[in-house]
């Protein structure tokens, strides 16, 4: 059952849930099979192993207090240390707890633990060292990360989310962290741009909403441009890829970037993808005005309804996420639309179309093709119009409030963005668009909605008449004239993309009720 090409590390007999099992550790992971029950074979890949500690009962308290773990380099447990475990005192058995990642329902992941029980303490310690040696040899696994927390984002729960759900997982997986909190708008960008110790890190983790992610992405791109000797404010320059991966722990109001790259806003799932070292490169849109890089977008840049919504909601921040609902109703009643001139660059041979039914996911063929050969620029198109919504969607922008997203067919890394134009007019038009965007995902079928797959957009408002502002990843951009340009797969994320959903999930193979001999 073990692949012949896998180099054997250890093999032995342990008790798991009072059943004698043959356990094997190879380069391909750890596996076990109960004696006489070959159909109950279990295998865990190396990347899915979080860590291990010395305890026969899978107790997390033993991980933190009873024994040294892989978090402290240079500290080696001994059989005597095993005997000090409160679950080993007065018993004849010793044990090793292995924690690992397991697919749950839908696209979510969960942390499970299995206890391997053995009579000999020296055998347990040998397995402990072998497992950590295997994990330390994984190049994609992060060792040190900078954690940036926005304490006032969303419902102001970001710090609690990290301390209760994420920090314990990082600790047990031997991920060393440096934690900082943002103190004002734009602080996240400054922390990354001015931090001289980034070279020793494996990644940056954002604990907050899309606004914090936007700040960190901007900082990472500016640092990469500086290292490459490029001027990021030149709209003709192709931005270099970020030199560090970005992990996203959802702690905001919508968390569209996290949801769009994982398929869920579940905190544990996001943390486990970081620990496993998953990697996915996604597109970034640069927002230029008057020869300056104003901002970058990873989800969407929107003018009109969503721009007015964001601008008005800033007055009611004390309401928390409810302010977006209140502001949205107000903009619907106002029923505003804006005239302007659009100029857009379409790809010569687009790899996919905005009306496709096949959506972007894990191991996406469209994104793989774009990574090898980005789409070639095609023709420029331009026209005038009056719109209530002008949106450039870099990703699907799916979130809890809109599970299909603003543009369900958008890809994470195809080198294009979807330009969505909603013609202004009656309230019924904007209402039908908002309803279908939130609940059915087929707003593109409406006659007053047009979608174009583009690589660059120039927007100029009409000189006379009302003007709106832009909503860039939840950040307010007051100037209406902008130039948007997508850069193919410039941002590295701790993500594997949206996986295929499943309704079946396995029960944990091990828990705290592990066996005694």
């Amino acid at each position: 059952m073990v692949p012949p090409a896998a180099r054997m590390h250890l093999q032995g007999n342990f008790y798991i849930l009072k059943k004698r099992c043959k356990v094997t550790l190879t380069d391909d992971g750890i596996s076990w099979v109960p004696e006489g029950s070959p159909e109950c074979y279990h295998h865990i890949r190396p990347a899915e192993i979080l860590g291990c500690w010395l305890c026969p009962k899978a107790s997390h308290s033993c991980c933190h207090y009873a024994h040294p773990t892989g978090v402290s380099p240079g500290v080696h447990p001994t059989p005597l240390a095993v005997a000090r475990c409160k679950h080993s005192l007065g018993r004849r058995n010793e044990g090793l707890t292995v924690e690992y990642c397991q697919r749950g329902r839908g696209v979510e992941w969960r942390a499970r633990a299995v206890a391997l029980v053995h009579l000999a303490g020296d055998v347990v310690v040998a397995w402990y060292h072998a497992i950590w040696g295997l994990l330390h040899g994984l190049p994609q696994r992060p060792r040190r990360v900078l954690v940036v927390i926005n304490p006032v984002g969303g419902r102001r729960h970001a710090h609690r989310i990290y301390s209760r759900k994420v920090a314990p997982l990082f600790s047990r997986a031997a991920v060393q962290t440096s934690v900082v909190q943002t103190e004002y708008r734009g602080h996240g960008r400054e922390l990354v741009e001015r931090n001289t110790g980034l070279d020793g890190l494996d990644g940056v983790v954002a604990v907050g909403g899309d606004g914090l992610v936007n700040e960190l992405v901007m900082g990472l791109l500016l640092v990469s441009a500086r290292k490459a000797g490029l001027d990021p404010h030149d709209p003709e320059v192709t931005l270099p890829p970020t030199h560090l991966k970005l992990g996203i722990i959802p702690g905001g109001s919508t968390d569209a970037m996290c949801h769009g790259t994982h398929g869920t806003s579940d905190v544990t799932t996001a943390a486990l993808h970081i620990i496993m070292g998953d990697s996915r490169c996604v597109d970034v849109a640069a927002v230029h005005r008057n020869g300056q890089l104003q901002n970058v977008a990873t989800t969407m840049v929107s003018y009109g309804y969503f721009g007015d919504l964001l601008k008005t909601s800033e007055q009611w921040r004390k309401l928390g996420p409810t302010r977006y609902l209140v502001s949205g109703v107000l903009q619907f009643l106002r029923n505003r639309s804006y005239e302007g001139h659009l100029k857009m660059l379409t790809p010569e041979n687009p790899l996919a179309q905005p009306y496709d039914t096949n959506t972007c996911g894990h191991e996406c063929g469209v994104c793989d093709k774009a990574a090898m050969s980005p789409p070639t620029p095609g023709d420029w198109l331009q026209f005038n119009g009056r719109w209530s919504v002008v949106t450039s969607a870099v990703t699907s922008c799916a979130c809890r409030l809109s599970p299909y997203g603003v543009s369900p067919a958008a890809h994470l890394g195809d080198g294009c963005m979807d330009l969505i134009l909603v013609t202004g007019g009656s309230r019924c038009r904007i209402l039908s668009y908002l309803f279908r965007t939130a609940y059915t995902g087929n707003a593109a079928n409406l006659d007053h909605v047009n979608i174009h797959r583009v690589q660059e957009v120039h927007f100029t408002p009409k000189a006379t008449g009302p003007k709106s502002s832009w909503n860039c990843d939840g950040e307010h951009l007051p100037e209406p004239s902008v130039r948007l340009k997508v850069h193919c797969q410039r941002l590295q994320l701790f993500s594997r993309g949206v996986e295929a959903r499943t309704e079946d999930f396995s029960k944990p193979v091990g828990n705290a009720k592990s066996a005694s001999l």
Side-chain angles (χ1 to χ4, degrees):
M1 281 178 283
V2 177
R7 183 171 63 90
M8 180 81 70
H9 290 264
L10 289 172
Q11 189 175 67
N13 294 318
F14 289 83
Y15 278 83
I16 302 176
L17 293 176
K18 297 184 178 180
K19 294 183 179 179
R20 185 180 174 89
C21 301
K22 182 179 181 180
V23 185
T24 305
L25 181 67
T26 70
D27 287 337
D28 287 340
I30 186 171
S31 60
W32 62 88
V33 57
E35 289 186 351
S37 303
E39 70 280 1
C40 297
Y41 173 77
H42 298 277
H43 178 261
I44 305 171
R45 296 183 300 170
E48 295 173 1
I49 303 175
L50 266 69
C52 63
W53 62 90
L54 302 171
C55 177
K57 291 292 185 179
S59 172
H60 288 165
S61 62
C62 294
C63 168
H64 293 292
Y65 304 113
H67 310 302
T69 68
V71 178
S72 303
V75 179
H76 301 288
T78 63
L80 181 60
V82 179
R84 295 195 185 102
C85 175
K86 63 181 180 181
H87 297 111
S88 299
L89 294 175
R91 300 173 181 268
R92 295 184 297 112
N93 57 353
E94 311 298 349
L96 175 72
T97 296
V98 179
E99 191 172 23
Y100 59 96
C101 309
Q102 185 181 61
R103 274 293 296 272
R105 188 183 298 274
V107 296
E108 296 181 355
W109 286 75
R110 289 291 176 262
R112 307 298 186 191
V114 57
L116 313 179
V117 182
H118 199 279
L119 277 172
D122 55 343
V123 172
V124 172
V125 172
W127 277 76
Y128 172 94
H129 286 303
I131 292 175
W132 276 114
L134 177 64
L135 297 182
H136 288 320
L138 300 178
Q140 77 276 16
R141 192 180 177 101
R143 307 293 195 275
R144 295 180 63 241
V145 297
L146 172 66
V147 179
V148 183
I149 302 176
N150 179 11
V152 298
R155 294 182 174 85
R156 301 174 181 264
H157 294 168
H159 192 276
R160 183 171 63 181
I161 288 172
Y162 176 75
S163 60
R164 294 186 179 183
K165 296 184 177 182
V166 181
L169 287 172
F170 281 179
S171 176
R172 297 198 296 271
V175 179
Q176 300 180 21
T177 59
S178 299
V179 182
V180 293
Q181 292 191 21
T182 58
E183 300 176 358
Y184 47 85
R185 188 183 298 272
H187 192 196
R189 168 183 168 179
E190 294 178 6
L191 288 172
V192 173
E193 190 178 0
R194 300 176 182 177
N195 194 326
T196 58
L198 292 180
D199 292 338
L201 299 177
D202 299 309
V204 179
V205 177
V207 186
D210 295 321
L212 177 62
V213 173
N214 177 278
E215 292 181 9
L216 296 179
V217 172
M218 181 71 167
L220 289 171
L221 287 172
L222 290 176
V223 171
S224 296
R226 185 175 63 218
K227 289 187 174 182
L230 299 175
D231 180 11
H233 299 289
D234 184 354
E236 302 302 329
V237 166
T238 299
L239 295 177
T242 55
H243 64 295
L244 289 177
K245 289 184 185 178
L246 177 66
I248 305 173
I249 302 297
S253 301
T254 56
D255 301 309
M257 189 58 181
C258 179
H259 199 288
T261 53
H262 296 309
T264 178
S265 298
D266 179 67
V267 173
T268 301
T269 300
L272 294 181
H273 280 302
I274 295 173
I275 293 172
M276 289 187 286
D278 290 332
S279 182
R280 183 71 180 265
C281 292
V282 301
D283 295 341
V284 175
V287 184
H288 290 270
R289 173 178 167 77
N290 295 332
Q292 292 292 317
L293 178 62
Q294 298 289 321
N295 210 328
V296 295
T298 56
T299 55
M300 74 174 189
V301 190
S302 187
Y303 182 84
Y305 176 85
F306 292 108
D308 294 341
L309 184 154
L310 179 64
K311 181 180 179 180
T312 305
S313 67
E314 290 298 305
Q315 305 171 14
W316 305 320
R317 292 192 67 88
K318 61 182 180 181
L319 296 179
T322 308
R323 69 184 185 274
Y324 297 115
L325 176 60
V326 176
S327 181
V329 172
L330 179 61
Q331 305 316 315
F332 166 73
L333 295 176
R334 287 175 173 172
N335 189 32
R336 292 175 173 173
S337 56
Y338 304 92
E339 291 185 82
H341 176 78
L342 270 172
K343 182 180 178 182
M344 60 185 185
L345 176 63
T346 59
E348 183 177 4
N349 295 303
L351 300 175
Q353 297 295 337
Y355 299 94
D356 290 346
T357 56
N358 294 328
T359 57
C360 185
H362 177 48
E363 298 180 346
C364 175
V366 172
C367 296
D368 290 342
K369 291 179 181 178
M372 294 184 292
S373 178
T376 305
D379 299 325
W380 283 96
L381 304 176
Q382 53 184 329
F383 45 84
N384 298 317
R386 186 181 188 92
W387 305 282
S388 56
V389 177
V390 177
T391 297
S392 288
V394 185
T395 65
S396 67
C397 306
C399 63
R400 294 187 298 269
L401 302 178
S402 178
Y404 296 98
V406 172
S407 182
H411 284 263
L412 293 175
D414 65 341
C416 296
M417 51 188 172
D418 288 345
L419 178 63
I420 305 170
L421 304 175
V422 182
T423 305
S426 66
R427 291 186 178 91
C428 291
R429 286 186 171 185
I430 187 64
L431 180 61
S432 61
Y433 167 73
L434 294 175
F435 178 84
R436 292 202 180 193
T437 298
Y439 297 107
T440 64
N442 61 347
N445 295 335
L446 295 170
D447 293 335
H448 57 281
V449 177
N450 295 293
I451 303 182
H452 308 270
R453 186 143 290 179
V454 300
Q455 294 175 293
E456 191 169 343
V457 174
H458 298 190
F459 179 82
T460 305
K462 186 177 180 180
T464 59
K467 297 178 178 61
S468 181
S469 55
W470 291 89
N471 180 340
C472 179
D473 288 352
E475 297 296 311
H476 180 238
L477 301 180
E479 296 295 335
S481 298
V482 296
R483 176 177 179 175
L484 311 175
K485 181 180 180 180
V486 65
H487 295 266
C488 185
Q489 301 192 17
R490 300 292 93 180
L491 173 62
Q492 299 183 67
L493 289 179
F494 284 108
S495 170
R496 61 178 61 177
V498 180
E499 298 178 289
R501 302 186 68 88
T502 174
E503 296 301 325
D504 299 322
F505 60 99
S506 305
K507 296 180 179 179
V509 248
N511 54 29
K513 298 181 179 179
S514 299
S516 299
L517 287 175

